[in-house]
């Protein structure tokens, strides 16, 4: 479908994804009307507000490396994007990802691919890792990979506020409204029906509804394979210097990174115990004592002594087909666009996704970064593009 600089855009969901889409549409010169429909403007249960807000370039799919590189660049230069007072506390201290014995060849191939795409990752032998990170137990590890640049963490809430404010400043309207469904007639999205029954007409409908994205397109086939899955974050204090501590991902899947005066940590539950989490925001407290703590204390002995300060749970928007985002137009309804299913890496990829959706609306094609490998076509043909580096 040809792009357009005018017309009416409706975006369902006004957290990080919806806001970056609206922002880039205006920034790139969309002169029409943009309304962001957000069910809960407090964002208390949005993934964005509950996320660990970290960014990495260590991915299995080249397209994800590129999306992260764009995000990291924008975060690093946040003031030139959003003005001299903009601050998202971007700490560029790298991901340290531990590989078990036997994973060396596969991990080195991954690093070669990532660096070939523009990332800056080093592969470390256990001895090299030990010299660089004195607190690390390397006894049972095969390899460690570490991001020298473009990886770290930031404040997702501040980022959301910046983008939202900038979008509003350029004329975007945010309206509190629950979208019930996207209306489709004759191969075109004609608008969005609200839970109140009100029908809003649009030339473009964009789904940025996070873990609930499948609900508003539930009448379409094939279904959007995006489901909410619970992830718990534990905030802890430990007798460990956070100053040079990276985002550490252990081979067990447990992770930890500095946050304020302490650390945050967590782990994904085992696949067989990771159900659809609709409505469930109760932290999985047992995970800390049973799984996360023992794994982290094995990797970082100083963590044998830790104190839990608080915990919370949020929802990953898992694409059950392949753990990758679904971005861009529906294959049969070209004015219905998706920015969904980021499977736990959506804050870092929101800038690239927002820019890409904006380009598609304005010109009918991607201009900066080709995100077509993440298109809806693979959902219909059931040809997954598996992302293997998932947590
Ligand atoms: C514990 C945890 C840790 C994470 N860690 C990271 C990380 O380190 N790095 C990273 O990049 N990502 C991380 N993520 C994933 C990241 O948070 C998400 O990928 C990202 O926030 C998705 O943004 P979104 O705007 O699409 O979704 P959300 O932030 O969930 O926003 C969707 C919005 O849509 C609204 N909405 C939903 N349905 C409707 C409707 N029908 N009508 C109107 N509005 C609607 C919601 O109210 C919500 O505000 C993490 C997630 C969790 C839960």
């Amino acid at each position: 479908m040809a792009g357009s600089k005018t017309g009416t855009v409706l975006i369902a969901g006004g957290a990080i994804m919806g806001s970056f889409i609206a922002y880039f549409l205006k920034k790139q010169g969309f002169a029409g009307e943009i309304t962001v429909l957000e069910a809960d403007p407090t964002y208390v249960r949005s993934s964005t507000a509950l996320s660990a807000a970290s960014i990495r370039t260590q991915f299995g799919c080249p397209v994800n490396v590129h999306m992260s590189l764009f995000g990291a660049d924008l975060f690093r230069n946040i003031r030139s994007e959003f003005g001299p007072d903009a601050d998202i506390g971007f700490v560029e201290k790298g991901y340290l990802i531990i590989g078990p014995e036997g994973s060396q060849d596969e991990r080195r191939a991954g690093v070669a691919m990532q660096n070939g795409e523009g990332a800056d990752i080093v592969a470390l032998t256990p001895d090299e890792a030990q010299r660089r990170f004195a607190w690390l137990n390397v006894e049972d590890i095969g390899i460690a990979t570490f991001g020298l640049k473009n990886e770290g963490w930031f404040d997702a809430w501040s980022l959301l506020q910046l983008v939202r404010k900038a979008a509003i400043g350029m004329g975007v309207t945010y309206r509190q409204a629950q979208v019930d469904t996207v209306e489709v007639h004759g191969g075109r999205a004609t608008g969005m029906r609200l839970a109140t029954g009100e029908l809003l007409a649009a030339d473009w409908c964009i789904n940025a509804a996070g873990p609930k994205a499948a609900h508003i397109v539930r009448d379409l086939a094939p279904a959007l394979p995006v489901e909410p899955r619970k992830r718990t974050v534990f905030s802890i204090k430990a007798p460990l210097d956070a100053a040079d501590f990276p985002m550490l991902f252990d081979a067990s899947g447990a992770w930890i990174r500095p946050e304020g005066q302490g650390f945050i940590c967590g782990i994904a539950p085992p696949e067989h115990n990771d159900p659809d989490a609709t409505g469930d925001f109760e932290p999985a407290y047992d995970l800390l004592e049973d799984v996360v703590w023992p794994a982290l204390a094995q990797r970082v002995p100083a963590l044998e002594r830790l104190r839990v300060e608080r915990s919370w749970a949020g929802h990953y928007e898992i694409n059950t087909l392949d753990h990758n985002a679904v971005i861009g137009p529906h294959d049969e309804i070209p004015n219905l666009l998706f920015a969904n299913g980021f499977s736990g890496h959506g804050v870092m990829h929101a800038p690239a996704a927002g820019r890409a959706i904006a380009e598609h609306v304005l010109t009918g094609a991607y201009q900066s970064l080709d995100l077509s490998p993440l298109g809806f076509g693979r959902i219909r043909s059931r040809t997954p593009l598996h992302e293997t580096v998932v947590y």
Side-chain angles (χ1 to χ4, degrees):
M1 181 173 160
S4 172
K5 274 193 175 251
T6 57
T8 304
V9 172
L10 289 178
I11 302 174
I16 204 68
M17 210 57 70
S19 294
F20 260 115
I21 293 167
Y23 170 76
F24 275 112
L25 271 167
K26 279 295 175 197
K27 187 180 173 190
Q28 290 177 15
F30 186 78
E33 206 179 295
I34 303 172
T35 304
V36 178
L37 301 165
E38 171 51 57
D40 178 10
T42 70
Y43 298 107
V44 279
R45 290 194 157 173
S46 69
S47 304
T48 301
L50 297 170
S51 102
S54 306
I55 179 166
R56 61 181 159 107
T57 50
Q58 297 185 62
F59 276 100
C61 295
V63 68
N64 287 331
V65 178
H66 283 283
M67 291 179 82
S68 291
L69 287 172
F70 179 67
D73 196 53
L74 187 141
F75 296 166
R76 204 180 295 117
N77 298 299
I78 199 78
R79 291 194 178 90
S80 52
E81 192 73 32
F82 294 110
D85 296 331
D87 184 7
I88 60 164
F90 184 32
V91 178
E92 205 171 348
K93 279 192 183 155
Y95 273 53
L96 178 65
I97 302 184
I98 304 300
E101 194 58 64
S103 67
Q104 290 91 323
D105 289 351
E106 183 201 325
R107 296 292 167 106
R108 284 185 190 280
V111 169
M113 181 280 284
Q114 291 148 10
N115 288 344
E117 301 297 331
D120 200 349
I121 312 294
V122 284
L124 305 171
T125 63
D127 282 351
E128 287 168 338
Q130 169 76 93
R131 276 200 293 280
R132 198 163 189 143
F133 304 101
W135 38 262
L136 189 71
N137 171 18
V138 299
E139 255 170 39
D140 56 340
I141 81 172
I143 190 167
T145 57
F146 180 58
L148 298 171
K149 216 182 151 203
N150 305 308
E151 296 193 332
W153 52 92
F154 52 94
D155 179 354
W157 181 254
S158 300
L159 180 65
L160 171 59
Q161 296 311 317
L162 277 178
V163 185
R164 192 175 182 275
K165 190 170 162 213
I168 292 170
M170 290 189 287
V172 172
T173 301
Y174 280 68
R175 174 176 166 186
Q176 179 168 11
Q178 173 91 36
V179 176
D180 180 47
T181 179
V182 175
E183 292 280 314
V184 176
H185 299 284
R188 283 189 60 79
T190 54
M192 292 187 187
R193 189 169 293 281
L194 305 185
T196 56
E198 185 184 352
L199 179 64
L200 304 177
D203 300 301
W204 304 89
C205 291
I206 302 176
N207 187 345
K212 293 182 176 165
H215 185 70
I216 61 170
V217 288
R218 62 190 175 279
D219 297 333
L220 301 181
L224 183 68
V226 174
E227 290 179 10
R229 300 290 172 86
K230 191 165 78 176
R231 294 293 180 268
T232 302
V233 179
F234 303 97
S235 173
I236 62 164
K237 286 271 166 58
L240 189 61
D241 185 5
D244 287 317
F245 208 92
M247 165 63 114
L248 169 66
F249 267 91
D250 185 40
S252 61
W255 60 268
I256 181 167
R257 74 155 170 84
E259 172 72 21
Q261 301 304 306
F263 294 83
I264 56 173
C265 60
I267 194 168
E271 228 171 291
H272 64 267
N273 192 17
D274 193 17
D276 184 313
T278 301
D280 177 6
F281 287 88
E282 180 74 5
Y285 297 105
D286 53 335
L287 275 182
L288 182 67
E289 197 129 326
D290 296 350
V291 191
V292 179
W293 190 2
L296 290 179
Q298 153 74 11
R299 187 59 53 225
V300 185
L303 289 171
E304 262 159 35
R305 283 172 41 228
L306 60 79
R307 194 175 73 236
V308 187
E309 302 271 298
R310 69 186 189 102
S311 49
W312 71 87
H315 289 171
Y316 267 22
E317 71 293 43
I318 294 282
N319 175 351
T320 56
L321 179 70
D322 59 13
H323 285 88
N324 255 324
V326 179
I327 303 181
H330 187 277
D331 59 342
E332 293 179 346
I333 309 162
N335 66 332
L336 166 61
L337 289 95
F338 301 96
N340 306 120
F342 288 81
S343 305
H345 41 264
V347 184
M348 66 180 97
H349 287 171
R355 182 183 63 169
I357 295 285
E359 288 172 356
H360 228 290
V361 169
L362 283 155
T363 70
Y366 297 124
Q367 304 299 326
S368 317
L369 183 57
D370 180 14
L371 297 189
S372 49
L374 299 173
F376 191 87
R378 78 187 198 282
I379 307 299
R380 187 178 303 282
S381 61
R382 303 286 305 171
T383 41
L385 175 73
H386 287 292
E387 176 49 60
T388 50
V389 189
V390 289
Y391 299 105

